[in-house]
Every structure is written in structure tokens, then in C-alpha cells.
Amino acid sequence: MKIKEIQAEIVDEFSMFDDWDERYQYVIDLGKTLPLADEQYKTDENIIKGCQSKVWLHGEQEGNNIVFTADSDAILTKGIIAVLIRVFSNQSPADILEADVAFIDEIGLKEHLSPTRANGLVSMIKQIKMYALAFQAKN
């Protein structure tokens, strides 16, 4: 599935909720569905700088795509990274680099996060794009 299609699905899912309490709960529930990251990836080099809580992100190339695994020690942050993993995992480096993240504004996520969490969200996206850049340069 293409990045834009996944983003559209997420926007549709978020539009089903009337208020932000329900949307926060949905983000938390998404975090609970995130597959457990292998402990070997929970290293200092995989920690995303700029996040208030600890977030580990690991990317591996499988064929032409990058597969991401992630984890966080904070339940809401784990949900946020789960949304990003859903969008960007199993995509090509070029598609990741070309993708915009307007869907985040469409669902209102950034504006409903504390400033430190919003900065963390930006840092997560930046790190995903850095992985894509690195894998693209390798090929």
C-alpha cells in the first residue's frame, strides 16, 4: 500500500472520533499494537534525540524497502511512533523521502500535543527520513 493511501486511512480513522480524549485513547491503543522491538535495538545509537521520553527507532533494508521497528517508554509516545511506523515501514527510501506529513496536521495531532511531544514527533519524522537518506545513498 502506498504512503498516501495509508495516510488517508489514518485520517479516516481519526475522523470517527468526536473529541481529543477519544483520539488520545486511540493513539495509546495503536501503541499497544506495536510489535515488541527486539532488545538488541534498544541502544543509545537508536534513541531519537529531541524526544522527552525514550524512543528507539531501528530501520533495516529488506529488498527495496525499509522496515522500521520502534519502541518507547511512554505509552502516548509509543502510539505516535506506531502511527509513523504504519505509514513509513515497508516503503522505499525514495517514497519516504518524497512523502509529506500533512496527514499529521489533518488529524490535528501536532496541535494537540505538548510542545515537547510535538518536538519529539518532528524528531521522529526526521530520523525516519535520515534512515531513508542513508539507505538511498547505499544503493
Side-chain angles (χ1 to χ4, degrees), residues 78-95:
K78 192 170 182 166
I80 294 167
I81 194 70
V83 170
L84 296 176
I85 294 281
R86 181 170 156 197
V87 171
F88 294 111
S89 196
N90 291 305
Q91 302 293 334
S92 73
D95 288 345

Side-chain angles (χ1 to χ4, degrees), residues 39-51:
E39 288 298 317
Q40 75 181 20
Y41 300 132
K42 290 187 181 182
T43 61
D44 287 347
E45 68 182 29
N46 285 335
I47 286 182
I48 296 177
K49 311 287 183 271
C51 288

Side-chain angles (χ1 to χ4, degrees), residues 125-138:
I125 294 167
K126 234 184 240 171
Q127 192 61 41
I128 287 169
K129 299 255 184 184
M130 291 301 287
Y131 266 108
L133 207 54
F135 283 120
Q136 190 176 49
K138 257 200 235 177

Side-chain angles (χ1 to χ4, degrees), residues 31-95:
K32 291 176 184 172
T33 68
L34 192 64
L36 288 177
D38 195 314
E39 288 298 317
Q40 75 181 20
Y41 300 132
K42 290 187 181 182
T43 61
D44 287 347
E45 68 182 29
N46 285 335
I47 286 182
I48 296 177
K49 311 287 183 271
C51 288
Q52 182 180 355
S53 44
K54 283 190 176 171
V55 180
W56 297 271
L57 178 70
H58 176 74
E60 245 175 57
Q61 193 157 9
E62 287 187 12
N64 295 327
N65 294 340
I66 302 174
V67 175
F68 290 103
T69 54
D71 200 358
S72 175
D73 62 355
I75 189 87
L76 183 63
T77 308
K78 192 170 182 166
I80 294 167
I81 194 70
V83 170
L84 296 176
I85 294 281
R86 181 170 156 197
V87 171
F88 294 111
S89 196
N90 291 305
Q91 302 293 334
S92 73
D95 288 345

